[in-house]
Amino acid sequence: MRLLYLISVGVHVLAATLWIGGLFFIVLVVVPWLKKGAEGGVDPAAFLRETGERFRLVGWVCFGILALTGSFNLWVRGVRPVDLADLEWWTAPFGSAVALKLVVFALVVGVSAVHDFVIGPRATEAIQRDPGSAETVALRRRASLLGRLNGLLALVLLGLGVVLVRGWP
């Protein structure tokens, strides 16, 4: 069982790294490059749309892997369904860290859904129609804000992952 747990933790960390690394790459490299003016005759709207669509699949697969491996990891560490109905468990240091991590993960999934399936596609369509319009600017700002919010939440998740393993400081 220990080997399965170690593999699961490794896959969990790999999925988190892939998702967070991709998120920060888009926020810190792709978007500023496109804002500066893509070189080499690249159509910024098409590039952003295609990059977003490809990363969306990677991100959502990572979310599924994180949910499965996270649940398994908790089970191996002794967390059982009966614990989830015990208020005392939730208020203990480990339970409160689990609760916070679950809430933040749910926020990430919600923010990602709004970004990936509502604001992002609308922004991409607006960029294709009229890159300089007020609607395009507003949608790009919202998409950017959601991406940055997810980056911040990703860092909180990392910190909570450390707390689950090492305890509260």
Side-chain angles (χ1 to χ4, degrees):
M1 184 58 78
R2 179 149 174 79
L3 180 61
L4 279 176
Y5 174 69
L6 292 175
I7 291 169
S8 179
V9 168
V11 170
H12 192 83
V13 169
L14 183 61
T17 302
L18 182 61
W19 170 65
I20 294 169
L23 176 68
F24 278 101
F25 179 76
I26 289 171
V27 169
L28 298 174
V29 176
V30 172
V31 172
W33 178 70
L34 289 173
K35 281 183 182 178
K36 183 181 130 194
E39 299 153 4
V42 173
D43 176 11
F47 184 82
L48 190 58
R49 183 188 68 247
E50 290 177 27
T51 303
E53 288 171 357
R54 289 173 189 223
F55 185 68
R56 177 178 26 200
L57 175 62
V58 170
W60 286 95
V61 168
C62 286
F63 290 159
I65 291 169
L66 290 166
L68 288 172
T69 56
S71 298
F72 179 76
N73 296 344
L74 287 173
W75 184 82
V76 171
R77 294 191 64 183
V79 178
R80 299 294 181 260
V82 70
D83 296 323
L84 304 179
D86 182 3
L87 183 59
E88 191 174 319
W89 184 85
W90 287 108
T91 56
F94 184 78
S96 65
V98 169
L100 279 172
K101 192 166 183 191
L102 291 173
V103 167
V104 174
F105 183 70
L107 284 171
V108 163
V109 170
V111 169
S112 294
V114 170
H115 178 277
D116 293 354
F117 302 112
V118 181
I119 302 299
R122 286 183 188 165
T124 302
E125 289 173 14
I127 290 168
Q128 290 174 323
R129 276 193 315 271
D130 184 2
S133 74
E135 175 194 20
T136 300
V137 170
L139 286 167
R140 285 180 63 190
R141 277 195 190 126
R142 281 187 221 141
S144 177
L145 178 65
L146 291 174
R148 289 180 181 149
L149 176 59
N150 253 354
L152 177 64
L153 292 172
L155 295 176
V156 171
L157 283 173
L158 283 176
L160 289 169
V162 171
V163 167
L164 286 175
V165 175
R166 307 293 282 168
W168 289 99

